[in-house]
């Protein structure tokens, strides 16, 4: 991802509609900077928490994937995670005590593979979507109108927000 051609351009991507290409350009850059922020971390570093209420870097990485899965279901299938999917993704979505208890002991490749798997599915479905799909509106948070463009913006906006936490934590690792 670091040497992706045109990483610093918000532009067309072959095989995708123009606005979807631009959305993907932003998602690609956000992910690239996330990957740089966790380069070389050990399992112990990925599991480290600053205090008893903080999330680990590993749990935040899995959170990125879980949020993306939730938005895949919301925007591609217009549904929430079912009970079985919540067993897989619930701790990563909710974080907190459940995340601290369940998300640990994994190496960096574990998280990167999941992130890549989830993103690949997103991009496969994006190939089938038109720009008009991005602008489809329906009630969302607190019954406010939202469109798919906003929802997918929120996916990488959430990642950028938590990546700030990751960078802050990395500077304070005591392991």
């Amino acid at each position: 991802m670091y040497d992706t051609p045109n990483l610093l351009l918000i532009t067309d991507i072959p095989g995708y509609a123009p606005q979807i290409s631009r959305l993907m350009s932003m998602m690609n850059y956000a992910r690239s900077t996330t990957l740089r922020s966790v380069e070389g971390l050990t399992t112990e570093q990925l599991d480290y928490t600053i205090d008893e209420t903080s999330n680990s870097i590993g749990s935040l990485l899995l959170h990125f994937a879980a949020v993306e899965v939730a938005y895949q279901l919301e925007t591609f299938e217009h549904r929430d995670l079912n009970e079985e999917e919540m067993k897989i993704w619930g701790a990563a979505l909710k974080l907190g005590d459940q995340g601290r208890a369940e998300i640990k002991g994994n190496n960096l490749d574990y998280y990167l593979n999941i992130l890549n798997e989830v993103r690949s599915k997103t991009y496969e479905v994006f190939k089938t979507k038109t720009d008009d799909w991005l602008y489809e509106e329906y009630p969302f948070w607190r019954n406010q109108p939202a469109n798919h463009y906003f929802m997918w913006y929120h996916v990488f906006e959430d990642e950028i927000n938590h990546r700030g936490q990751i960078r802050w934590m990395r500077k304070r690792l005591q392991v």
Side-chain angles (χ1 to χ4, degrees):
M1 171 96 39
Y2 304 135
D3 60 352
T4 301
N6 301 324
L7 184 62
L8 304 181
L9 296 176
I10 296 176
T11 189
D12 290 340
I13 297 174
Y16 296 91
Q19 289 301 313
I20 290 175
S21 293
R22 283 149 183 78
L23 175 68
M24 291 171 60
S25 295
M26 292 180 268
M27 292 172 72
N28 288 341
Y29 179 75
R31 180 57 51 85
S32 174
T33 57
T34 294
L35 296 178
R36 279 195 302 272
S37 74
V38 298
E39 238 173 10
L41 292 179
T42 66
T43 300
E44 188 179 16
Q45 291 169 321
L46 291 164
D47 288 348
Y48 179 75
T49 55
I50 298 295
D51 58 36
E52 67 279 351
T53 64
S54 67
N55 297 301
S56 69
I57 292 172
S59 67
L60 291 171
L61 291 172
L62 201 55
H63 178 72
F64 302 158
V67 166
E68 189 161 340
V69 166
Y71 279 80
Q72 287 172 349
L73 296 173
E74 175 67 40
T75 63
F76 302 156
E77 300 179 31
H78 295 287
R79 70 176 180 88
D80 293 329
L81 278 80
N82 61 35
E83 189 175 318
E84 199 60 33
E85 291 160 337
M86 281 303 290
K87 288 178 186 173
I88 297 166
W89 299 107
L93 277 174
K94 295 176 185 176
L95 297 172
D97 290 337
Q98 186 180 4
R100 281 185 291 281
E102 295 179 25
I103 304 169
K104 55 188 169 186
N106 305 302
N107 66 26
L108 184 58
D109 283 342
Y110 170 83
Y111 297 109
L112 298 183
N113 288 336
I114 291 172
L115 286 166
N116 287 332
E117 257 180 57
V118 171
R119 184 56 54 90
S120 291
K121 180 179 180 187
T122 297
Y123 285 1
E124 281 303 309
V125 176
F126 276 1
K127 283 182 183 177
T128 70
K129 301 298 182 186
T130 65
D131 285 341
D132 289 340
W133 173 83
L134 282 176
Y135 296 100
E136 288 178 16
E137 295 181 19
Y138 53 94
F140 197 51
W141 298 333
R142 295 176 299 283
N143 217 27
Q144 294 292 308
N147 59 28
H148 294 134
Y149 217 143
F150 168 80
M151 293 175 199
W152 281 97
Y153 160 77
H154 178 68
V155 170
F156 72 89
E157 181 245 357
D158 184 72
E159 180 171 336
I160 291 167
N161 178 48
H162 289 300
R163 187 184 62 238
Q165 290 177 289
I166 288 172
R167 286 178 173 165
W168 182 87
M169 288 174 58
R170 186 173 182 143
K171 290 178 183 177
R172 288 153 182 82
L173 287 172
Q174 297 178 5
V175 292

